Amino acid sequence: MLLEDILHTSDMDKGQYRITYDEGEVHFICRAAITSSEHRLQPGVKMIYQPEQEEPFTFRTDPQRVQQILINLLTNACKHTAKGQIILGSSLTAREGYVTFSVTDTGPGIPADQAENIFDRFTKLNGFVQGTGLGLSICREIATLMGANVYLDTSYTQGGARFVFEVPVVPPSES
């Protein structure tokens, strides 16, 4: 993953990182992200997918990049959640014109005053947890290229952390 992160960062810095739009189905993307991440769960922690609606929803996006961001958010949650659960949610109504994904964990949480700093390259709040501090900055850069948003929900106060990833239903280059 370290090598991949460095290559992605290098491509972004050179303007060579490409977004490729295609059809993506919300539930398929979420379930694939969970399948790719759940082996990283700490013993006793559960990972759950909670869609707002059960009906399939297909939209125009870069499914691979959406999945990449979700995997990164889920992997981070796995690293920081020693007990409890990690919930991947999806909503079509949280923000009009967007598919809103959320990753909520029962880990130690993140101080609100660090909400933007954690998206800086090489920033790690816990030096004892494995990782390079590149993952969230890569997520933010990919999201920006897609006209999407990724952020820490500082209004979440129920213990742990919640990250939100809002992806436009119609890509900016096609609207």
Side-chain angles (χ1 to χ4, degrees):
M1 282 186 73
L2 171 61
L3 182 58
E4 252 183 56
D5 285 349
I6 291 170
L7 291 173
H8 288 310
T9 301
S10 175
D11 286 346
M12 286 177 196
D13 287 348
K14 293 186 275 184
Q16 295 177 344
Y17 198 82
R18 299 287 171 242
I19 302 298
T20 306
Y21 292 105
D22 200 352
E23 298 300 309
E25 199 284 313
V26 172
H27 301 319
F28 178 83
I29 292 170
C30 288
R31 288 187 180 104
I34 284 176
T35 299
S36 295
S37 323
E38 63 189 352
H39 70 279
R40 299 169 195 251
L41 285 168
Q42 295 187 41
V45 177
K46 294 180 182 175
M47 189 176 290
I48 302 163
Y49 175 45
Q50 289 183 341
E52 177 184 69
Q53 68 179 43
E54 293 297 326
E55 298 81 29
F57 181 78
T58 301
F59 69 116
R60 194 133 177 89
T61 191
D62 186 330
Q64 181 180 352
R65 301 299 178 215
V66 171
Q67 188 175 325
Q68 179 181 356
I69 290 174
L70 292 176
I71 289 169
N72 192 292
L73 296 175
L74 290 168
T75 298
N76 280 352
C78 289
K79 289 180 196 177
H80 297 281
T81 305
K83 61 182 178 178
Q85 62 188 5
I86 299 166
I87 299 171
L88 172 58
S90 63
S91 171
L92 302 176
T93 62
R95 181 174 177 200
E96 188 175 343
Y98 288 79
V99 176
T100 301
F101 301 96
S102 60
V103 174
T104 308
D105 66 48
T106 55
I110 300 167
D113 64 345
Q114 295 295 316
E116 283 304 308
N117 296 339
I118 59 174
F119 290 96
D120 293 340
R121 287 184 184 175
F122 304 110
T123 297
K124 291 176 59 172
L125 298 185
N126 183 344
F128 296 106
V129 174
Q130 184 181 12
T132 60
L134 283 174
L136 288 175
S137 69
I138 290 170
C139 288
R140 172 74 54 92
E141 290 182 51
I142 294 170
T144 300
L145 289 171
M146 296 175 63
N149 304 304
V150 64
Y151 59 90
L152 175 68
D153 180 358
T154 56
S155 70
Y156 182 74
T157 58
Q158 297 173 7
R162 174 180 290 150
F163 283 85
V164 177
F165 176 35
E166 302 168 325
V167 183
V169 172
V170 177
S173 62
E174 297 185 5
S175 55

